[in-house]
């Protein structure tokens, strides 16, 4: 893809601008919609007696909305237009932003802005998203991907992603959260892309630019909870949540109750909205086991069905089910995030056994073989991601925990396995910067977050000392975010350039040798066996008769017991095709194909 000698090169034949332009609009049940003569405002507030729209552009103008028996307040405000800023006044006492606002230009506690989605002219495009099995995904956080932390600045690095071999970008959540910095999982305005990265039209320009470079764009979305600051729904729609539906982040969202159709529409339409109005090519749904529903058709299934219809094109739906807890519920999704392969490989190459690695500590290679060969094509594999780095006390990347040889071997296993691979921003060059958890909450909440994380980390090996705990960067400090920003100049250093070339080679091999093989369909069968403490051999047999074989030694010592020669045609090897006398070198990976 692209011309490696031309940093600005685009993938050939994937995009062409034309004189005509397209409009992308999606009508939502909630929120503000432009109509003839003004703006229709709609809020579900079943516990409120009255709701008024307050236009705040020049002075204040209040318009009372009409309440329906099912709890909806609705009305058209004449004179309101695109760019108008507004609040809802509940029972003449509480003023709040619109929970379905399309933009919060000054944050969650300030007025919402009416957005005209038809004002943005989308160029007609010949871009066609690749098939799911062809994806190589690059997860990034807009605010720390560049020094500027904006959509516009992120565009400058799209050629780098193309040259690396990336086929799709996955943006961490953009829903507006409190303050000016956040991972995105504390969003309270799920229709409003975070103002700190740019305006809605800037995000749309980013998607256009990515498509021009042949890159699909996915968005991480959160339908299991709202953030802890700026969410006023419990004040006027308390049945939106239920304390009986416990999540790690507070009361869960009640999608199942008979009177809660509005709650379901909020999430279902939000998913469709990002695909239609912003041109995203897919969604990753966060923590699906924490999305509860008792209706015959689960809200997750409705989201998949309506997204596929609304997009009217390729749209990837990926579920995070890290512990394989809701496998039947996520079956309709194209793919699934699962931590099994990551945890097993992490234990094998770092020796860490604490916390959630304990289950994998007894036999990491056994767990790795099972993870790689189960639902091989639909599982999404990763060596690093935002959670596995950012939820560590010091936010260390894998390169800070083990040797470069170990990282290269692990990458060769993950990136060439049949499952779709994902890498985290900076992983491709072994970035030295940490990725820390950060937020920007009001002081009392910020203190609870800081203290809570230190209590959690106090149980980890090496962090039972107060002085060590005190050294952890305060997640509410600006330092936590600035320390996490990528330093792009690192690529010019020899050790980082070498790692980058390693990843680029692996992605080329995947595109040239692995993708054509898995295009035949999912494996008809797959098997594995362990060899010694750190050796693994695995085989995926495809319907067409071809087979893919992995031989790997994820240990510092040599390991005997492998076949001397690669079975069939060599695809890739870290240490050559032949293991003399069946002894695999340390940190070695060999891929081959055969019948």
């Amino acid at each position: 893809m692209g011309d490696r000698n031309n940093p600005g090169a685009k993938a050939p034949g994937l995009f062409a601008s034309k004189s005509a332009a397209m409009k992308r609009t999606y009508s939502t049940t909630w929120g503000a919609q432009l109509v003839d003569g003004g703006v229709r405002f709609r809020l579900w507030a079943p516990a409120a007696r009255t709701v008024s729209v307050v236009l705040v552009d020049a002075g204040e103008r209040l318009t009372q909305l009409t309440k329906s028996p099912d709890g909806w307040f609705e009305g058209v405000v004449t004179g309101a237009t695109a760019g108008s800023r507004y609040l809802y006044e509940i029972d003449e006492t509480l003023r709040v932003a619109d929970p379905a606002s399309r933009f919060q230009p000054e944050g969650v506690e300030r007025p919402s802005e009416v957005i005209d989605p038809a004002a943005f002219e989308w160029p007609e495009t010949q871009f066609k998203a690749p098939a799911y099995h062809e994806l190589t995904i690059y997860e990034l956080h807009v605010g720390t991907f560049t020094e500027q932390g904006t959509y516009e600045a992120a565009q400058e690095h799209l050629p780098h992603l193309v040259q690396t071999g990336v086929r799709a970008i996955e943006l961490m959540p953009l829903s507006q959260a409190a303050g000016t910095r956040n991972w995105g999982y504390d969003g309270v305005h799920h229709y409003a892309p975070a103002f700190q990265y740019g305006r809605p039209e800037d995000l749309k320009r980013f998607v256009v630019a990515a498509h021009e470079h042949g890159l699909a764009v996915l968005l991480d979305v959160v339908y299991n909870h709202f953030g802890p600051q700026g969410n006023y729904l419990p004040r006027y729609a308390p049945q939106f949540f239920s304390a009986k539906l416990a999540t790690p982040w507070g009361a869960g969202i009640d999608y199942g109750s008979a009177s809660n159709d509005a709650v379901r529409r909020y999430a279902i339409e939000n998913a469709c909205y990002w695909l239609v109005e912003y041109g995203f090519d897919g969604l990753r749904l966060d923590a699906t086991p924490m999305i509860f529903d008792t209706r015959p058709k689960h809200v997750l299934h409705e989201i998949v069905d309506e997204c596929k219809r609304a997009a009217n094109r390729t749209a990837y739906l990926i579920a995070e089910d890290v512990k394989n807890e809701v496998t039947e519920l996520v079956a309709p999704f194209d793919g699934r995030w699962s931590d099994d392969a990551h945890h097993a490989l992490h234990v094998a190459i770092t020796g860490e056994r604490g916390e959630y690695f304990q289950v994998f500590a007894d036999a990491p290679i056994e767990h790795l073989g099972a993870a790689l060969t189960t639902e091989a094509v639909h599982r999404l594999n990763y060596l690093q991601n935002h959670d596995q780095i950012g939820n560590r006390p010091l936010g260390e990347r894998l390169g800070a925990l083990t040797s470069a040889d170990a990282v290269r071997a692990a990458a060769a296993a993950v990136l060439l396995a049949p499952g779709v691979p994902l890498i985290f921003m900076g992983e491709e060059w072994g970035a030295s910067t940490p990725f820390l958890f950060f937020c920007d909450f009001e002081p009392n909440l910020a203190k609870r977050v800081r203290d809570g994380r230190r209590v959690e980390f106090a149980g980890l090996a090496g962090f039972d000392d107060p002085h060590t705990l005190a050294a952890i960067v305060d997640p509410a400090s600006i330092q936590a975010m600035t320390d996490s920003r990528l330093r792009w100049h690192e690529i010019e250093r020899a050790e980082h350039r070498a790692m980058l070339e390693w990843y680029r080679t692996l992605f080329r091999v995947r595109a040239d040798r692995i993708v054509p093989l898995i295009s035949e369909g999912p494996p008809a069968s797959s098997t594995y066996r362990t060899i010694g403490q750190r050796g693994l051999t695995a085989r995926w047999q495809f319907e067409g008769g071809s087979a893919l074989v992995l031989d790997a030694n994820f240990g510092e010592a040599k390991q005997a017991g492998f076949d001397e020669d690669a079975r069939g045609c060599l695809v890739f090897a870290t240490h050559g095709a032949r293991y003399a006398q069946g002894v695999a070198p340390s940190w070695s990976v060999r891929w081959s194909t055969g019948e």
Side-chain angles (χ1 to χ4, degrees):
M1 294 179 62
D3 180 355
R4 297 186 64 203
N5 297 315
N6 179 3
K10 300 180 176 71
L14 291 174
F15 183 93
S17 296
K18 298 180 181 179
S19 58
M22 298 182 292
K23 306 290 186 182
R24 293 183 181 272
T25 62
Y26 183 78
S27 180
T28 57
T29 304
W30 290 71
Q33 299 276 339
L34 287 162
V35 296
D36 290 340
V39 176
R40 183 224 70 184
F41 293 93
R42 204 159 192 258
L43 177 71
W44 190 61
R49 298 186 306 276
T50 64
V51 174
S52 296
V53 173
V54 184
L55 294 183
V56 298
D57 295 322
E60 292 186 358
R61 181 159 65 94
L62 275 70
T63 303
Q64 188 165 319
L65 303 181
T66 301
K67 186 176 184 179
S68 63
D70 54 1
W72 284 102
F73 287 83
E74 181 176 359
V76 173
V77 178
T78 58
T81 186
S84 293
R85 297 195 180 186
Y86 66 99
L87 294 165
Y88 288 125
E89 184 176 272
I90 312 296
D91 294 337
E92 300 180 349
T93 56
L94 174 66
R95 290 189 175 183
V96 299
D98 186 348
S101 161
R102 278 175 161 82
F103 192 47
Q104 291 295 121
E106 299 176 86
V108 298
E109 305 283 356
R110 301 289 293 164
S112 306
E113 180 178 330
V114 176
I115 296 295
D116 178 9
F120 187 85
E121 296 188 350
W122 292 81
E124 288 196 12
T125 177
Q126 293 179 357
F127 171 77
K128 183 178 180 181
Y132 176 76
H133 68 270
E134 297 176 343
L135 293 180
T136 47
I137 303 175
Y138 190 94
E139 184 188 21
L140 69 86
H141 178 271
V142 175
T144 53
F145 185 57
T146 65
E147 182 66 27
Q148 300 89 339
T150 63
Y151 305 121
E152 183 178 10
Q155 290 183 42
E156 298 175 11
H157 297 289
L158 295 177
H160 163 84
L161 301 186
V162 173
Q163 293 157 25
T164 299
V166 171
R167 299 296 305 276
I169 300 165
E170 180 181 308
L171 301 181
M172 288 175 65
L174 300 177
S175 300
Q176 187 65 61
T180 60
R181 55 191 182 275
N182 198 279
W183 273 14
Y185 299 94
D186 295 311
V188 294
H189 294 282
H190 294 285
Y191 288 76
F195 78 89
Q196 56 263 39
Y197 309 141
R199 289 186 56 82
E201 53 267 30
D202 296 320
L203 174 56
K204 293 173 183 179
R205 291 188 190 102
F206 175 83
V207 174
V208 169
H211 287 170
E212 287 179 337
H213 285 82
L215 295 165
V217 189
L218 291 73
L219 179 64
D220 198 341
V221 291
V222 182
Y223 300 136
N224 49 69
H225 77 288
F226 278 59
Q229 182 180 338
N231 173 26
Y232 292 94
L233 278 163
R235 299 281 294 275
Y236 54 84
Q239 52 268 68
F240 201 108
F241 306 92
S242 172
K244 296 179 181 179
L245 306 174
T247 79
W249 316 283
I253 299 174
D254 185 358
Y255 292 109
S257 291
S259 60
N260 277 13
D261 286 350
V263 180
R264 299 175 76 85
R265 296 316 303 171
Y266 185 93
I268 294 167
E269 292 178 7
N270 181 261
C272 296
Y273 158 84
W274 290 115
L275 297 175
V276 175
E277 208 155 287
Y278 281 84
F280 282 99
D281 302 291
L283 304 172
R284 179 260 195 192
L285 273 68
D286 178 68
T288 53
M290 295 293 104
I291 298 176
F292 307 107
D293 193 8
T294 55
R295 296 195 186 184
K297 185 172 184 179
H298 198 282
V299 68
L300 285 171
H301 294 182
E302 285 200 46
I303 287 173
V304 171
D305 289 348
E306 292 209 28
C307 280
K308 297 289 186 180
R309 285 197 298 269
N312 196 29
R313 55 188 166 84
T314 298
Y316 320 107
L317 276 299
I318 299 171
E320 184 195 23
D321 180 20
V322 295
K323 296 180 181 179
N324 307 311
E325 295 172 311
V326 291
T327 52
E328 290 186 10
L329 287 181
V330 301
F333 285 75
D334 298 291
R336 185 172 79 234
W337 272 44
S338 174
D339 281 349
D340 289 0
H342 167 273
H343 288 357
L345 201 46
H346 188 95
V347 171
I349 70 174
T350 69
E352 290 191 339
R353 294 169 171 265
E355 207 176 13
Y356 38 67
F357 296 129
Q358 292 177 357
V359 174
F360 300 82
D362 59 335
I365 302 303
E366 178 76 27
H367 290 292
L368 177 62
L372 291 178
T373 56
T374 303
E375 296 184 359
V377 173
H378 295 288
R379 184 169 297 200
L380 191 145
N381 296 318
Y382 36 81
L383 188 57
Q384 302 181 66
N385 65 31
H386 73 274
D387 266 333
Q388 303 309 331
I389 303 171
N391 284 328
R392 301 179 62 84
L394 303 179
E396 313 102 313
R397 292 170 180 266
L398 193 59
L401 306 173
T402 189
S403 68
D405 287 341
V407 173
R408 282 191 284 266
V414 169
L415 301 190
L416 300 183
V420 167
L422 175 144
I423 66 174
F424 186 66
M425 63 178 196
E427 176 184 340
E428 72 275 23
W429 78 74
S432 68
T433 47
F435 186 71
L436 299 160
F437 175 72
F438 50 84
C439 58
D440 185 20
F441 295 140
E442 55 85 15
N444 289 332
L445 179 56
K447 182 180 185 301
R448 293 203 300 272
V449 171
R450 178 176 61 252
D451 293 347
R453 287 179 69 82
R454 288 180 178 173
V455 168
E456 176 185 351
F457 294 147
L460 300 179
F463 287 90
D464 52 356
D465 178 86
H467 295 290
T468 306
L469 284 173
I472 297 173
V473 177
D474 180 356
S477 69
I478 187 67
Q479 180 189 350
M481 179 172 180
T482 56
D483 284 358
S484 301
R485 285 180 177 146
L486 291 181
R487 300 169 186 160
W488 283 86
H489 64 270
E490 288 186 335
I491 294 179
E492 302 308 318
R493 299 175 185 169
E495 66 273 23
H496 295 293
R497 174 60 61 176
M499 187 64 75
L500 177 59
E501 289 305 320
W502 185 261
Y503 270 74
R504 287 180 172 179
T505 296
L506 292 173
F507 276 133
R508 285 196 295 270
V509 172
R510 181 176 185 85
D512 294 343
R513 304 295 300 277
I514 304 300
V515 168
L517 185 62
I518 60 179
S519 295
E520 299 177 9
S525 63
S526 53
T527 58
Y528 72 92
R529 65 183 177 90
T530 60
I531 301 174
Q533 292 296 309
R534 290 291 184 267
L536 173 68
T537 183
R539 179 185 180 92
W540 296 265
Q541 186 70 49
F542 293 88
E543 291 284 2
S546 299
L548 178 65
V549 179
L550 166 67
D551 296 309
N553 176 20
F554 298 110
E556 294 179 328
K558 297 178 181 179
Q559 177 64 57
F562 290 88
D563 288 349
E564 279 200 328
D565 297 303
R567 283 160 282 184
C569 181
L570 181 69
V571 172
F572 177 83
T574 58
H575 292 70
R578 195 167 193 274
Y579 291 167
Q581 299 180 332
V583 177
S586 62
W587 308 122
S588 60
V589 171
R590 182 177 67 184
W591 286 95
S592 57
T593 58
E595 298 299 322

